[in-house]
Amino acid sequence: MNTTPYVAREPDAHGHIHYPDAEHAVWQTLIERQLKLLDGRACPEYLAGIEQLDLPRERIPQLGEINRVLQAATGWQVARVPALIPFQTFFELLASKRFPVATFIRTPEELDYLQEPDIFHEIFGHCPLLTNPWFAEFTHTYGQLGLAASKEERVYLARLYWMTIEFGLVDTPEGRRIYGGGILSSPKETLYSLSAEPEHQPFDPLEAMRTPYRIDILQPLYFVLPDLHRLFELAQQDIMALVHQAMRLGLHQPKFPPKAA
């Protein structure tokens, strides 16, 4: 996807981004709806991060508010980007401990799903876990690896990201929980991912890299970490050796129908 109707909002001379009331209302609808669903479904580390960020309900937060919390917690910051950015920019940002945030929010017509990552997805879905040192370390390592990777290697790294940071589940002493930002920012996927309908597999990075996915459907398969610390352990492994092994072995058959032309 190379085009989008969305345009990221620019800050004024003081660094403040102004959003119309209608867009603040979309944020309030999204955050209040999602917070009701996440108790007993989101992992404890995410809920602790939400508490630290103390996101406003009635307005879209300013990036500086997020930066103050992330910087103090793990040394991360968020960086304002356009609606879509190239892989190279994405990896450059992660490698420098900056998480990309597009400063637009979805329209009411696309309240439940949009393909582009908007400010609600990035801040509500991902930023709470960037307060966690294990998650933050994995994300930083991932960015460094992606920056040095070839185009072909990046495709396999993208699958690892999708199956962890975007759509990962984790087992906790209280039961199976969500940590992937793509799930945490979606009411439908929040309920669906923990149901008996999709397949759940124990997390294996090699298998994750070999698993095709589509961005426009509910995921047929989720990989489940034994605990969130597993991401930190993965960051200490030779991930690129796993990438090369996955490239030699090739992809599994998709668990979904092909996209209609």
Side-chain angles (χ1 to χ4, degrees):
M1 184 183 61
N2 298 315
T3 60
T4 173
Y6 288 102
V7 178
R9 295 198 174 274
E10 302 276 342
D12 63 18
H14 305 287
H16 187 90
I17 299 174
H18 297 270
Y19 298 93
D21 289 345
E23 293 186 357
H24 288 306
V26 168
W27 171 275
Q28 184 168 7
T29 298
L30 291 169
I31 193 170
E32 290 182 348
R33 181 174 69 172
Q34 204 58 13
L35 283 172
K36 290 174 186 173
L37 291 177
L38 293 186
D39 188 34
R41 295 187 175 97
C43 70
E45 294 87 353
Y46 173 87
L47 295 174
I50 274 282
E51 193 171 330
Q52 283 187 64
L53 285 176
D54 192 23
L55 297 173
R57 305 282 187 94
E58 75 290 347
R59 63 174 176 83
I60 300 170
Q62 295 294 314
L63 300 189
E65 298 174 87
I66 308 300
N67 283 340
R68 281 190 287 277
V69 177
L70 294 185
Q71 183 72 49
T74 57
W76 274 76
Q77 292 197 333
V78 292
R80 182 179 61 84
V81 299
L84 297 171
I85 58 173
F87 259 154
Q88 180 71 15
T89 306
F90 177 70
F91 287 123
E92 285 173 357
L93 288 169
L94 296 188
S96 60
K97 295 189 177 182
R98 291 180 293 161
F99 199 82
V101 173
T103 50
F104 73 89
I105 197 161
R106 67 197 71 180
T107 64
E109 292 73 33
E110 291 194 287
L111 205 60
D112 293 328
Y113 173 79
L114 78 165
Q115 291 191 23
E116 304 93 325
D118 71 345
I119 194 167
F120 179 75
H121 168 81
E122 303 291 28
I123 287 182
F124 185 87
H126 290 301
C127 286
L129 272 171
L130 284 171
T131 64
N132 178 273
W134 302 335
F135 185 90
E137 175 69 13
F138 173 70
T139 308
H140 182 219
T141 299
Y142 179 86
Q144 292 175 311
L145 293 175
L147 196 55
S150 68
K151 183 179 178 181
E152 292 75 22
E153 291 166 339
R154 286 177 175 181
V155 176
Y156 283 82
L157 285 173
R159 293 192 193 95
L160 180 63
Y161 189 93
W162 187 263
M163 300 299 177
T164 54
I165 291 175
E166 288 293 354
F167 286 92
L169 300 177
V170 58
D171 280 332
T172 75
E174 294 76 35
R176 190 155 292 175
R177 297 291 186 265
I178 303 162
Y179 75 93
I183 309 175
L184 290 163
S185 57
S186 164
K188 192 171 184 180
E189 197 121 18
T190 293
L191 299 175
Y192 167 83
S193 66
L194 294 174
S195 74
E197 191 174 344
E199 182 181 346
H200 290 176
Q201 281 188 23
F203 176 71
D204 179 323
L206 185 62
E207 290 297 295
M209 291 181 203
R210 298 179 63 205
T211 300
Y213 65 86
R214 271 177 55 182
I215 68 171
D216 60 334
I217 59 172
L218 293 169
Q219 302 303 298
L221 166 65
Y222 300 92
F223 286 94
V224 186
L225 295 176
D227 52 56
L228 205 66
H229 191 260
R230 178 69 181 91
L231 287 181
F232 179 79
E233 293 168 357
L234 179 58
Q236 315 311 310
Q237 290 181 240
D238 188 348
I239 294 175
M240 292 313 296
L242 292 172
V243 167
H244 297 149
Q245 189 178 352
M247 291 171 76
R248 288 193 299 271
L249 292 169
L251 294 182
H252 292 302
Q253 283 296 314
K255 294 178 179 288
F256 49 79
K259 190 173 183 179

